[in-house]
Amino acid sequence: MKELILVLTGAGISAESGVPTFRGEGGLWKQFKPEELATPQAFFKNPKLVWEWYDWRRQIISKAEPNEAHLLLAELERRLENFFIITQNVDGLHQKAGSKKVIELHGNIWRVKCTNCKEEYELYEVPLKEIPPKCKYCGGLLRPAVVWFGESLPEKALSESFALAKNCKLFLVIGTSGVVYPAGYLPFLAKQHGAKIVEINPESTPISKIADVVIREKASKGLRLFEKML
Ligand code: APR
C-alpha cells in the first residue's frame, strides 16, 4: 500500500470561496461571540437567534463554489492511492469539489438533528422558511448537526482521524489556526509517529514550529507549490 498522505483543513481553505473564517481579520469571532452562538447553552437559551446565524451562514455557503485548493485536493485523491482529508469545516466544499475520502470532524452545516426524536437528516432549504425549523418526523426542535464548543466530536470521525494521523508519512495542514482541540492535536500526534509536516497558511500558527516545510501562501497558491514538491 502506498504511503499515506493525510490532509487537515480549516476555515482558511474556504476563504478564497468567500466563506468567512473564524479568527484573523474579518473572522466571524470578531463580529459575533462564539459563546452566544456556538454552544448548546446558547442554543437552548435562544434557538431562534442561533438558527438565524446558521441560516445566514448557510446562505453564504450555498453561493460558495469550491476554489482551486479544494479542486487540487480532489485531484490529488484521484491521483494518489492512499490519501485522506480530515476537515474541521462544515461547509461541504471538499465533497462539492469531488473529494470522496473526507472525514468531517465538526459535522456539516447542511445536516440537522432533532433534539426530541434524535433523527438526523440533510436539510438544504435556504433560506429557511421556518426559524427555528421543526423535525419532519416528530415536529420537535431541530438543531444544526455541527459540533459546538464544549461538545464531543463524532466518535467514529475522531478515532479514524487519530488512527490515520499515527500512520501517515506526510501530513499537510492547510488553513487552520490550530487552536481548537482535538483537531489541533492531530499534527503533533502525526509528528510523534514520524510524519513529515507541511503547513500551508499565510500566517504563523502553533503548528508552524513543528512543520518540516512551511508554505506561507494562501491555500490555492500554496497547494500549487506543494504539488510541485511531490
Ligand atoms: N488560505 C489559507 N489559509 C488561510 C487563508 C487562505 N486564503 N485565509 C486565512 N487563512 C488562515 C488563517 O491564517 C488562520 O490560520 O486560516 C486559518 C483560519 O483559522 P480559524 O478562523 O481559527 O479557523 P479554524 O482553524 O478552521 O477554526 C477551527 O474553530 O470556531 C471553531 O468549529 C470552528 O472548525 C472551527 C474551529
Side-chain angles (χ1 to χ4, degrees):
M1 172 71 99
K2 270 274 190 68
E3 294 191 330
L4 169 61
I5 295 183
L6 190 56
V7 185
L8 173 67
T9 62
I13 198 168
S14 297
E16 291 163 89
S17 297
V19 180
T21 62
F22 294 94
R23 299 167 183 86
E25 76 279 349
L28 291 170
W29 297 149
K30 291 272 172 300
Q31 309 164 54
F32 304 97
K33 289 198 175 64
E35 59 277 8
E36 285 177 4
L37 294 167
T39 64
Q41 295 75 8
F43 179 72
F44 288 107
K45 186 165 146 243
N46 192 340
K48 184 172 177 299
L49 172 73
V50 173
W51 264 115
E52 280 167 353
W53 187 62
Y54 274 92
D55 191 45
W56 171 72
R57 289 179 64 198
R58 286 160 53 107
Q59 291 182 51
I60 292 171
I61 291 167
S62 67
K63 299 184 188 86
E65 285 304 320
N67 62 58
E68 190 187 356
H70 295 108
L71 296 168
L72 271 172
L73 288 180
E75 163 63 28
L76 283 175
E77 177 185 295
R78 286 188 287 271
R79 200 192 315 162
L80 303 169
E81 216 175 287
N82 206 356
F83 184 90
F84 276 86
I85 296 173
I86 300 169
T87 188
Q88 301 170 85
N89 301 339
V90 296
D91 57 32
L93 288 179
H94 285 302
Q95 296 92 323
K96 203 170 176 183
S99 291
K100 305 257 181 297
K101 301 194 298 190
V102 181
I103 296 173
E104 292 180 314
L105 278 182
H106 295 164
N108 186 300
I109 203 164
W110 297 112
R111 292 184 65 76
V112 290
K113 196 162 46 182
C114 179
T115 59
N116 177 48
C117 70
K118 310 298 178 209
E119 278 292 338
E120 188 171 324
Y121 55 94
E122 287 173 354
L123 177 65
Y124 288 101
E125 184 185 84
V126 72
L128 289 167
K129 289 192 196 69
E130 183 189 13
I131 290 186
K134 299 295 180 331
C135 176
K136 67 181 179 182
Y137 298 107
C138 78
L141 173 65
L142 289 173
R143 61 162 282 176
V146 299
V147 178
W148 281 326
F149 291 105
E151 293 188 312
S152 47
L153 277 62
E155 183 41 48
K156 184 168 173 291
L158 196 55
S159 52
E160 275 177 6
S161 299
F162 270 58
L164 289 167
K166 287 178 188 166
N167 291 288
C168 67
K169 281 285 164 280
L170 183 63
F171 198 162
L172 178 56
V173 186
I174 310 173
T176 182
S177 57
V179 297
V180 171
Y181 275 59
Y185 173 61
L186 291 169
F188 293 86
L189 181 64
K191 182 87 178 178
Q192 280 160 21
H193 285 76
K196 286 273 173 265
I197 310 295
V198 177
E199 180 183 49
I200 299 177
N201 194 321
E203 290 171 24
S204 171
T205 74
I207 295 158
S208 306
K209 65 177 181 302
I210 63 160
D212 299 279
V213 174
V214 172
I215 304 176
R216 277 279 169 263
E217 296 287 356
K218 291 185 175 183
S220 294
K221 182 169 180 195
L223 262 170
R224 283 198 300 272
L225 295 172
F226 171 76
E227 209 191 2
K228 291 195 178 70
M229 287 162 50
L230 281 180

